[in-house]
């Protein structure tokens, strides 16, 4: 299970917002990603725990941030429960459901998850509906994105060939676009995200295992 660290920056003025320390790997269900996000002062400001099933759908999601927590998964679209962390009994919890394809948020995990869900061939594009949870309050918002797999290149490294995919990702409501570079189950770079450390090579996406 590779461990690594992403630095997170404001996409407009490039101010450092913090870092996300993560581990991810294929598992019995499909693929799992766990992380903690730290602010510039070193305090934990968010956690992410995402498990995908064999078809790269969100089998289980748990997010914590700003005194809020969200638990969700794929149920006839996606369903979730958002609760105040100070309400352990969940008496004030709010349930939600949307006929979206998956979840998204600020963690790089969601870029990997969406790309693997779409399974695009080079030059192909797709439209995907996602429910987003943004820090710090994790309020849900439904959005549509357009994904285009622009290119796939193989780079030789000391640990063997590294296959890098370049995606163009657009918010179809605002028209805002970004370029995302993925290698296996790791984001190499994206808007506001830079891979700073990785203890071992990315896991190749095992299509024979993932259906």
């Amino acid at each position: 299970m590779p461990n690594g660290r992403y630095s997170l920056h404001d996409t407009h003025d490039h101010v450092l917002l913090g870092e996300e320390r993560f581990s991810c790997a294929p598992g019995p269900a499909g693929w799992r990603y766990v992380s903690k996000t730290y602010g510039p002062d070193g305090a934990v400001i968010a956690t992410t725990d995402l498990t995908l099933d064999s078809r790269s759908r969100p089998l289980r999601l748990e997010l914590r941030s700003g005194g809020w927590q969200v638990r969700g998964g794929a149920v006839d679209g996606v369903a979730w429960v958002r609760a105040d962390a100070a309400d352990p009994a969940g008496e004030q919890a709010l349930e939600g459901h949307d006929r979206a394809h998956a979840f998204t948020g600020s963690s790089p995990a969601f870029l990997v998850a969406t790309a693997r869900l779409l399974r695009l061939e080079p030059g192909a594009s797709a439209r995907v509906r996602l429910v987003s949870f943004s820090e710090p309050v994790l309020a849900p918002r439904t959005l549509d994105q357009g994904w285009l797999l622009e290119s796939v290149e193989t780079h030789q490294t000391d640990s063997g060939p590294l296959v890098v995919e370049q995606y163009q990702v657009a918010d179809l409501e605002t028209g805002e676009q970004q370029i995302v570079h993925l290698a296996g189950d790791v984001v190499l770079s994206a808007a506001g995200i830079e891979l700073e450390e990785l203890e071992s090579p990315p896991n190749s996406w095992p299509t024979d295992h993932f259906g």
Side-chain angles (χ1 to χ4, degrees):
M1 179 176 280
N3 297 299
R5 179 173 63 89
Y6 294 109
S7 61
L8 308 176
H9 303 263
D10 186 283
T11 56
H12 300 290
D13 57 18
H14 307 294
V15 170
L16 179 67
L17 301 177
E19 64 179 27
E20 183 164 325
R21 301 174 189 173
F22 71 95
S23 59
C24 59
W31 180 76
R32 188 179 181 194
Y33 180 104
V34 294
S35 71
K36 290 184 178 180
T37 303
Y38 298 83
D41 62 355
V44 176
I45 57 176
T47 65
T48 300
D49 189 339
L50 174 65
T51 300
L52 305 183
D53 68 11
S54 61
R55 295 172 62 185
S56 300
R57 297 171 302 186
L59 180 66
R60 175 179 173 272
L61 171 68
E62 182 172 329
L63 302 173
R64 293 177 181 269
S65 174
W68 295 91
Q69 61 182 17
V70 167
R71 291 186 174 93
V75 182
D76 190 26
V78 293
W80 65 91
V81 176
R82 177 177 175 267
D84 189 330
D87 176 28
E91 295 179 358
Q92 304 298 320
L94 297 176
E95 298 183 1
H97 177 267
D98 196 290
R99 296 300 296 270
H101 299 95
F103 297 113
T104 192
S106 61
S107 173
F110 295 109
L111 295 173
V112 176
T114 302
R116 300 316 170 205
L117 177 68
L118 295 176
R119 299 173 181 265
L120 296 176
E121 298 291 334
S125 61
R127 178 174 180 150
V128 61
R129 171 157 287 196
L130 304 168
V131 173
S132 173
F133 298 101
S134 299
E135 289 88 1
V137 297
L138 301 179
R141 180 175 75 94
T142 301
L143 57 90
D144 292 312
Q145 288 183 343
W147 281 65
L148 167 65
L149 178 52
E150 293 186 318
S151 64
V152 178
E153 298 182 352
T154 301
H155 300 269
Q156 297 301 321
T157 70
D158 293 341
S159 55
L162 183 69
V163 178
V164 178
E165 302 161 342
Q166 177 175 306
Y167 293 87
Q168 182 185 102
V169 180
D171 184 317
L172 297 182
E173 179 181 359
T174 66
E176 186 175 4
Q177 296 184 358
Q178 65 165 312
I179 299 297
V180 177
H181 292 96
L182 298 183
D185 59 356
V186 171
V187 177
L188 301 180
S189 65
I193 299 168
E194 291 292 339
L195 180 65
E196 301 290 352
E197 297 177 6
L198 189 64
E199 291 186 0
S200 57
N203 299 294
S204 59
W205 206 256
T207 55
D208 56 335
H209 172 76
F210 278 61

